Amino acid sequence: MTMKVIKPTVITDAMFVSSTIPETDYPAWNAATNYTVGTKVMRAVSGVHRNFENLIAGVDATLPELATAGATPRWLDLGATNRWAMFDNKIGTLSSVSTDLTQVLIPGSVSGLAALGLTGRALLVQVKDVVGGNIVYSKSIDLDGTIITSFYDWFFEDYQQLSDVTLTDLPSQYTSPEVTFTLSATAGTVS
């Protein structure tokens, strides 16, 4: 038996092209604002993309990501913003949206992709040879994992979500491919 390992790629701002998930979880943090205890803010800047909850009332110009430790931390790190949650290297952290979820990335040479904890009806992965170039790979995956063994099952079996997809056949010969990941549903939220 042959085993393939997908080496994780840390997604950075430079690799991120576009998304259908707005980065509007909470109001943006402002150094001059007098925050009350429990106020939630977002830092949607390069390299951060995190949500925070205020623990000490008042004004403080210290960046939230630099004020989460010590004897009296000012901010509680609530985790990645919804747009970036899927890239936080933690299994079980989901990004979700009420429309089709599409992420376009330029991750460098890749040969595999793992999507875990999916909720939706179909997944489409496309790879272009360069940004805006020709499609060199396209795979559509039906996320209906329902096992039908009889006519009765066809009509009455509940939908079973296929939640994990692993692709190991992406064309790795391209050094700067554009990868588009689209998760869709017939209704409701996708994640």
Side-chain angles (χ1 to χ4, degrees):
M1 178 166 95
T2 303
M3 182 185 340
K4 293 186 178 184
V5 175
I6 298 176
K7 183 179 176 184
T9 298
V10 175
I11 303 300
T12 65
D13 289 88
M15 297 174 182
F16 203 88
V17 176
S18 66
S19 175
T20 57
I21 302 173
E23 199 163 23
T24 55
D25 301 15
Y26 299 106
W29 173 80
N30 183 322
T33 300
N34 184 0
Y35 289 109
T36 59
V37 174
T39 301
K40 295 176 182 172
V41 298
M42 175 182 65
R43 286 269 296 149
V45 297
S46 182
V48 181
H49 302 285
R50 301 193 72 76
N51 294 314
F52 298 92
E53 182 177 340
N54 189 38
L55 301 174
I56 301 172
V59 177
D60 187 347
T62 307
L63 297 172
E65 63 271 21
L66 301 177
T68 60
T72 56
R74 168 124 183 132
W75 295 95
L76 173 64
D77 187 344
L78 299 175
T81 62
N82 188 33
R83 177 183 282 183
W84 285 83
M86 69 172 69
F87 303 120
D88 72 352
N89 291 328
K90 295 178 183 173
I91 294 175
T93 308
L94 306 175
S95 295
S96 61
V97 68
S98 59
T99 62
D100 287 355
L101 188 159
T102 300
Q103 302 278 33
V104 181
L105 306 169
I106 308 169
S109 180
V110 294
S111 61
L113 177 138
L116 310 174
L118 299 173
T119 301
R121 294 301 291 226
L123 173 66
L124 174 64
V125 177
Q126 291 185 323
V127 178
K128 293 182 179 178
D129 52 0
V130 294
V131 176
N134 298 313
I135 295 173
V136 294
Y137 177 93
S138 183
K139 185 166 277 190
S140 181
I141 299 148
D142 183 359
L143 298 176
D144 184 352
T146 309
I147 298 173
I148 305 297
T149 59
S150 68
F151 284 113
Y152 180 84
D153 290 347
W154 176 260
F155 290 104
F156 299 107
E157 187 65 28
D158 288 335
Y159 173 79
Q160 299 294 316
Q161 177 72 55
L162 179 63
S163 62
D164 299 335
V165 172
T166 304
L167 303 174
T168 58
D169 61 344
L170 276 67
S172 61
Q173 68 267 29
Y174 302 102
T175 56
S176 297
E178 179 183 278
V179 179
T180 303
F181 170 100
T182 301
L183 182 61
S184 58
T186 53
T189 300
V190 296
S191 60

